[in-house]
Every structure is written in structure tokens, then in C-alpha cells.
Amino acid sequence: MRAVVLALSLALVGATVFPEFSAGKTYVYMYEMSVINGLPEEGLARAKMNAIVFFFIFNGVVGKVYAPEGVSDLVLNFYRAVLNIIQLNIKKTHNVYDLQETGIQGVCKTLYSVNEDVKAERIHLTKTRDMNHCQERVYRDMGLAYTEKCDKCQQESKNLRGSTSYRYTLKPVLSGVMILEADVNELIQFSPFSESYGAAQTETKQTFVFQEIQDSSIAPISAEYHHRGSLKYEFTNDFEWTPLQLVNVTDEQAQTEELLNHLVTHNAEKVTDHAPLKYLELVEFLRLARYEDLEAFWSKYRDTPSHRLWLLEAIPATGTSAALRFIKEKFTSEDLSVTEAVRTLVAAVHMVTANPESIKLFETLTEDSKLNANPVLREIVFLGYGTMISKYCAESDVCPVEYIKPIQKRLSEAVSKGETEDIILYVKVLGNAGHPSSLKSITKIMPIHGTAAASLPITVHIEAIMALRNIAKKEPRMVQELALQLYMDKALDPELRMLSCIVLFETNPSMALISTLANAVKSEENLQVASFTYSHMKSLSRSASMIHPSVAAACNVAMKILSPKLDRLSLRYSKAVYGEAYSSSFMLGAAATAFYINDAATFLPRSVVAKTKAFFVGAAADVLEIGVRTDGLQETLLKNPSVLKSGDRITKMKRVIKALSQWRSLPNNKPLASFYIKLFGQEIAFANIDKPMVEQAIALASGPSVQAFGVKALKTLLLSGVSFNYTMPVMYTEMRRAIPTATGISVQLSLFSAAVAGAVVKSNFAMDTYAVMGINNPFYHAIIVSRAKFNSTLPSKISARLDIKEGDFKIEVRLGSSGVIRSSLEHDEHETRYFTIVGNDLAMNTGNRPYDILWG
């Protein structure tokens, strides 16, 4: 067996003993490695590797690793696993001690225990590496850009635990010690919920046994050696970062078409409970497709509506560059309708992997004249460009300012020209991107007195303040200073001060800052601002989740400072309302927040913001946020005094419709209302409801044809029980983390959620969530999957009466909902693969013993 020689740079420490390998000799060891993956109570799948390892001179701690270019990254990580065993820091003056030691998994806390058997001339050493206490942990994440970690959750119950124990038998020699035998046992445990509900495990074992000393040394390979990193695991192989596949691929094209036909056939009238799994499988197969393959599928099925729908829903979910290119080409060639383009682009923004290539593609889309001609698509693409930058920066070590500079430049030009609509769009893009360098650009349009920006419209100031929220996640201190300055400015519009309060509490403020706010509220003259700040603090003080426990504690203290009189203010005053449900045992929860910003002189609230947050797997994410402003609507309704008179509900509704139909005095360029939608903290759409749009809607609703159409449609579709044959698959969650094991193989943790909704009437809904743990590389693939299923059917009866013209409409819905949550355990047999290092390559030997992929 030919060995690859690795060159090492060494670091020697005076009071430390190291393993000795003398010059001019070859030390031969037998090395065996096994990977055990699965549920402990169900039996574990195993893979094994045997190798004979030879060593040139080595004395000291591994520093830099050098290897020939021909040694693959995969093989080099196996060598790191061997070097990881022989790296020892033995102190002469201590028997028990701990230190942060560099290893293949990073720089982690390691406990040493040394016992010397003088009679037998042996030293017995054990060391334990705790992977939950690392100065520097090696891992890679995907799909976690929208989440924030919960450190407190992980202190109480960790979703991911790992430790490695080493047992050595050493022989004292003249200038150090010689390793006779080493046994390594590693356990990595993953639980999507609390540990008390069980966990999947990956266990690795290594044995390293001395065989002999040969009097000749190994001749190094005649090649140029390059610096290839350190002892730490290197994530450089693209294959190991592909998702863990839930199916075996035998014939990619045939299996893809089979899945597509299955989904169309079996979900035509009712969504089957296995539709989410089949949809996930379709996504996985399309992930393997090249751009040319996607074109071939499109050419075959573009004219078949059902197949076309499933393809257009699955392709963006693949998250590949080929998918993004496909969507771009289909739009530019006018193969997609505007509705299809909107759906696919929104999905692509959130599912496509953010990298320099995809960011550049979105940048070219922002300059596409055909796309810019459609206001809706223009907004989606520009907002998506900011989202792609945010995702890339969240998952990358570097966040180049060059990516966001084009938008900063556009904003500067729009401000100089006074183009309000463009200013708002570009500020929203900067808000999505959340790049700290944008703080300077946004500050220039803040309503700070004495600056030119103070004269800008209030809508610009509102967007500028709200754009600070994503920047606050990266630079909380800088944002706190600006937001506090705005909040304390009593000459500022009260709405802007209340928005600054929202931003402040999203920076995870300290006890001192919250106390400062509380003291400011005590002397606050504006009751709208005082009511809003007080209610916000009170709501947060009741939070039971562990995402920001310090904020909840500080707000509790603030409640003792403030007067309870503020709690008795009516709904005429602005409020912040927060509610949540959280299970510590499952580490799952949800929260809802509503911001109600009012003005004493207005008939309706000036603005309302509602958002939801989810807590899961020791993290949190903003799921959905909707905001509405009603400035133009206020003005219109107040011009009709009859709207404010008392009366029953139907009478008031007729007055409102009449007021809107008589709307003539409001300028065309002033919107009646505006709204925005955020998904996972990223704005995906916004719109102004202006006069032409409302007039068109009133004309349509008041016309005689709508009555006939309404009666006919309702009788046909609602009363007669006919259902729509329409399905909408949505893959809304995919998160992955890869971490190295002591064996040089990475283990991958994944969480997938997929839902399929079918039909508008007599509809049903199916959802699957999968927690996956396993090994994924070109030579070995073994996974364990935990699945939760939900299936619901509703409604069973709908009756309706429609008379929009007279302001009379009534809809009654009787729900016949049957929701089922269940889990199952399935087994599938595959072959176990054994592999051995031979020279520069991995020679794979396929055994015939089966192992189980466990589904539970």
C-alpha cells in the first residue's frame, strides 16, 4: 500500500511531552474506523474503513498541513482524522487539566487525565473533547439566514450535543512517548425537540494500533506540496453539501416524469396525505437537473396545465442556479404569464442559494427593460435583490459592500431628483439587505432637524426608520443610538417616534436603555407615544419564550417605574399588543405582535402592523408581517360627516361605500391606502391603493353584471358542491447544518417542511415535516428521518348571499374539519459500502450486507 506523505509545520512547547516518531524509521499502525448512524433503540446502520498508516518524522502539535494538489479534499479530511488522534498535549506537571485544543472539529474544550503505571512502563491517558464548548466550532449552515439563535434555549436543553473520548496506551521513550494503542469514541446526538422526547445519533469509532517499526523511511511523493489548511476539517467538496436525499436515484429523467405524473393524477380532486412527500421527492430530482434538462421537461409539459403548475411550483424550490436561469429565460421569452412570473420569482428569491452568481443574475434582472415595465415584477426583483444579499451575508464569512453599492447609488440619485416612489423602493431594498454600510445612506434621509432630509415626505421617513430593523441584527449599538435620538426628539411626528420605539426593541436593548425609555415615558406629554411605549413594554414583560429573556426581565423592572394609569388609556390611543404560546418541553412556540398607531384627530388608525414569529429547534424566525396605512382613506371619509354618525352595521357600511363612490376631490396621485407584506423578515411586495384602482373596483362591484355573475358563481361553486381541481404545493422550510466527525466524514442535519393545499371549496390540506440526520458523501449515504404528518379537510358546507350594490352580503361557513397528525416507522434496505484509503484515492468495496434507513 502506497502512502501519501503530508508535510506538517510543528509547534513545540517546552513543558509538554509529545508522541515521538524518530527520523529514518517508519512506524506502522493499523487504523480502523466505523460510522454508526440511527436510532439507538432500533439498531444502527454501520460503515467501516480499514487502513494501514505509515509515519515520516513527527514531533509536536499539528500546525499547517501541506499535500500534493492531486490529493482530494475528501481524502485529505481522512488524513486529518488520523493526525487528530496523534495530536497530544501531555503536561509533565499535571495529571488532570483542561485546555482549548485544536482538533478536526475546531478549537474545543478538552479534559486530560493522565495515569502512569510505573511497573508496566505504560502511561494511560484519556482525554474528552466537549463539542458544545468550543472557541471555534467547524460547521456549515444553509437555510438559517432568516433565523436568530436562542442561547438560553440551548443552555437548558440542547438540540445538538457532541463529545469525543480518547483512550491511549503510551510507552515512555527517551525523548517523549510512543503511542501503542488509541481508541476513539464519538457521539453526536440530534433532537428536533427537547431531549426528553428522544434523539437520533451518529456514533463513530476509531482504533489506532501499533504494528511495527521499519528501519527505512518512506520516500515522499515527487510532487509540489501546497498549503491545504490546518488540522481543522475543510468544507470544500460540493457533493457533501447537497441535501440528504429521501430517495434513491436510478434513472433521473424517468423517475422525475413518474413523480410528476403521480402528483397530477392522484391530487386532481383531493390532496392525498402523501402529496407533500412526493412533492419533496420531485424537488430533489429537479435539483439534479441541468438547465437543459429543465428545458426538456418544459417543452414536454408546458401545454398541459396540471403538469405545468407542478413544474413551476417545484423548480424554484430546488434553489439551484439552473432554476433561476430557467425562470429568467422563461420570463424574457414571454413563456410565463405575469401571475406565474410573480409566483416563481417570489419562490426563487427565498429558495435559491445565495452566491455571487445568483446575486449577479438578480442584478441583471434589475436592469431588464421588459421586467421594469411591469411595476409588480420590478418591485419583486428589486426587493429580491436585497434579500439575496442578506442571505449571502448571513451564511458567508465576508459580505462585500460592492453588492449593495448599486442600490445606494440609485438611492442617492433618486433623492437628488426628488423621486419619492423610487426613494421608497430603494430604501426597502436596503432594508431587506440589512448591510451595515447602508446605515449612512439611510441616515441621510432621516427626519433629523437641521438637515435637508427633514423636508422629505413622511412616507420616506417611515420607510427609512423601518429599514433599520434588519441592520439592527448586525449592528445593534449603532442602530440603538440613531433610534434613541429619534425617539427622544419631541418635535418629531409622534408616528415616527413610535416607529423608532419598535426599532429599539428589536435591537435586544439592555436594562439601562429600557430604564432610560421608562423614565422618558414618565415625563412624556404626548399620550399616543406614552401609551404605545408602555403597552409595548408591558407585552414584552410577559414573554415566556427564551429568545430574549433579558428584555423581558428589563421590561418587568420598567413596569415598576411607570404609572399604572397608562394601562387605563382607551383604544383611541396607540397600542402594542404581544401574545405567545411556548412549550419548553417541545421547544416549540409561536408569537403574534400587533402595532396600532393612532392619532386623536383620525377616524381610523393611521397604521396597523401585524406580525407572527415561530420558535423551533432552539431558534426563532419572523414568519409573516403585514402593514397597512390609511392616510388617504382618512381624508376621504372625514369629508363625509355622515360616516361618523351612529347607526347599525349595515347602515354604516352603506355610508362608507357611498363615500368612496362619491370620491372626487382627492388628487389622483395621492394613495387612498398602502400596504406591505414581509415573509421571514424580508419585504416581498408593497402597493399603494390609489384613486384609479378604487374607482375601477367600485365600477365593477356596482355594475349589474356583477350581481348576475355573483349569484351564478355562488350557486355553481358553493351551493351545488362543485370543487375546484386546483392544487398549490408550497415548500416553505428547508434548513441544513453539516458538522465534521472525528473520522473525517461530515454528518448532516436537515429540517424540511412541505405542504400541499388543494381546491378552494371542499378543500383539504396536507403537510409533512421531516427531521433528517445522516452521512452524505460520494462513497456512503445513510440517513434517519423523523416525520410528522398533518392532514385536514374543510369545509363541508358553505352558503352565501351577495348584494354588493346595496351593501348587503353574508357568507356562512360550516367547517367539517378532520385533522390528523400521525407518525410512522418505515424501513428500507440498501447496501452498506466499505471504503479504504489507498495512496491518493479511495478504493470502494461494496459489501452485500444490508443496513436500514430508518423512518420514524
Side-chain angles (χ1 to χ4, degrees), residues 327-559:
I327 295 167
K328 175 181 179 291
E329 295 297 331
K330 294 306 110 186
F331 174 76
T332 54
S333 61
E334 299 184 349
D335 279 354
L336 299 180
S337 67
V338 173
T339 303
E340 288 174 332
V342 168
R343 286 211 320 267
T344 53
L345 279 172
V346 169
V349 165
H350 292 280
M351 296 306 300
V352 168
T353 302
N355 53 39
E357 181 185 358
S358 57
I359 292 174
K360 185 64 180 177
L361 197 150
F362 262 89
E363 186 179 357
T364 59
L365 283 175
T366 63
E367 299 166 356
D368 186 280
S369 57
K370 189 180 297 184
L371 190 144
N372 276 284
N374 186 299
V376 176
L377 293 176
R378 180 173 184 258
E379 287 178 9
I380 290 172
V381 167
F382 270 91
L383 293 173
Y385 180 62
T387 298
M388 296 301 287
I389 295 172
S390 174
K391 287 167 59 178
Y392 179 76
C393 293
E395 297 176 349
S396 175
D397 294 332
V398 293
C399 188
V401 70
E402 287 73 22
Y403 289 145
I404 200 63
K405 273 187 176 179
I407 302 299
Q408 294 172 347
K409 184 179 179 182
R410 284 174 181 260
L411 174 61
S412 179
E413 292 173 353
V415 171
S416 64
K417 295 176 182 178
E419 298 170 340
T420 302
E421 289 186 3
D422 282 346
I423 293 173
I424 290 174
L425 174 61
Y426 300 143
V427 168
K428 287 176 179 288
V429 176
L430 296 182
N432 272 4
H435 198 288
S437 70
S438 298
L439 193 58
K440 184 177 180 181
S441 299
I442 294 174
T443 303
K444 289 180 179 179
I445 56 173
M446 283 290 180
I448 299 172
H449 289 289
T451 65
S455 61
L456 289 171
I458 189 172
T459 51
V460 171
H461 295 153
I462 289 170
E463 297 300 339
I465 292 173
M466 297 302 274
L468 296 174
R469 293 191 292 172
N470 280 337
I471 299 176
K473 295 174 183 177
K474 299 166 186 172
E475 292 291 344
R477 289 293 180 88
M478 294 174 65
V479 171
Q480 281 175 2
E481 291 174 7
L482 180 57
L484 185 61
Q485 177 186 350
L486 294 171
Y487 180 84
M488 293 297 189
D489 187 352
K490 297 189 177 182
L492 211 57
D493 186 288
E495 181 177 3
L496 300 180
R497 296 180 62 199
M498 286 183 267
L499 294 177
S500 300
C501 177
I502 293 174
V503 172
L504 271 174
F505 278 104
E506 295 203 8
T507 63
N508 193 20
S510 64
M511 173 76 79
L513 182 53
I514 292 176
S515 298
T516 300
L517 284 179
N519 284 306
V521 171
K522 287 175 66 176
S523 58
E524 179 58 56
E525 297 177 358
N526 189 299
L527 286 180
Q528 295 290 347
V529 175
S531 173
F532 184 86
T533 309
Y534 177 86
S535 61
H536 200 359
M537 288 183 176
K538 184 176 180 181
S539 296
L540 292 175
S541 70
R542 297 172 176 173
S543 174
S545 71
M546 294 181 284
I547 298 297
H548 296 306
S550 60
V551 174
C555 287
N556 260 314
V557 174
M559 289 298 100

Side-chain angles (χ1 to χ4, degrees), residues 246-366:
L246 302 176
V247 290
N248 286 331
V249 181
T250 54
D251 187 332
E252 181 186 327
Q253 183 172 348
Q255 287 175 284
T256 304
E257 293 188 5
E258 181 183 348
L259 277 169
L260 190 57
N261 289 326
H262 183 280
L263 285 165
V264 170
T265 304
H266 289 80
N267 298 280
E269 296 183 2
K270 179 184 177 181
V271 174
T272 58
D273 58 358
H274 61 264
L277 173 60
K278 294 299 180 183
Y279 172 60
L280 275 174
E281 291 176 358
L282 178 62
V283 170
E284 289 194 347
F285 275 105
L286 289 174
R287 266 201 178 114
L288 303 175
R290 301 166 302 163
Y291 172 77
E292 293 76 15
D293 299 323
L294 297 178
E295 282 284 359
F297 289 128
W298 178 255
S299 299
K300 185 172 182 178
Y301 296 111
R302 59 179 293 179
D303 297 324
T304 309
S306 297
H307 288 78
R308 178 187 179 107
L309 171 69
W310 281 101
L311 273 177
L312 289 179
E313 294 299 333
I315 288 175
T318 62
T320 63
S321 298
L324 187 57
R325 180 187 168 194
F326 172 84
I327 295 167
K328 175 181 179 291
E329 295 297 331
K330 294 306 110 186
F331 174 76
T332 54
S333 61
E334 299 184 349
D335 279 354
L336 299 180
S337 67
V338 173
T339 303
E340 288 174 332
V342 168
R343 286 211 320 267
T344 53
L345 279 172
V346 169
V349 165
H350 292 280
M351 296 306 300
V352 168
T353 302
N355 53 39
E357 181 185 358
S358 57
I359 292 174
K360 185 64 180 177
L361 197 150
F362 262 89
E363 186 179 357
T364 59
L365 283 175
T366 63

Side-chain angles (χ1 to χ4, degrees), residues 132 150-161 189 191-198 546 582-587 617-619:
N132 293 108
C150 174
D151 295 328
K152 179 71 173 175
C153 302
Q154 294 302 314
Q155 288 174 11
E156 296 201 2
S157 181
K158 292 185 180 294
N159 295 104
L160 179 65
R161 289 187 183 273
Q189 178 176 288
S191 174
F193 308 113
S194 177
E195 295 167 285
S196 59
Y197 288 88
M546 294 181 284
Y582 185 79
S583 170
S584 298
S585 58
F586 282 100
M587 294 181 71
V617 197

Side-chain angles (χ1 to χ4, degrees), residues 167-223:
R167 291 190 301 113
Y168 294 89
T169 301
L170 309 174
K171 178 183 177 180
V173 292
L174 189 61
S175 58
V177 293
M178 177 180 170
I179 299 176
L180 297 180
E181 185 176 352
D183 291 298
V184 184
N185 289 276
E186 177 183 42
L187 182 65
I188 299 172
Q189 178 176 288
F190 172 64
S191 174
F193 308 113
S194 177
E195 295 167 285
S196 59
Y197 288 88
Q201 294 180 351
T202 292
E203 185 179 346
T204 70
K205 295 180 182 293
Q206 295 166 283
T207 57
F208 188 71
V209 183
F210 173 71
Q211 301 293 302
E212 63 175 336
I213 299 177
Q214 298 176 356
D215 290 331
S216 59
S217 60
I218 302 173
I221 293 175
S222 180

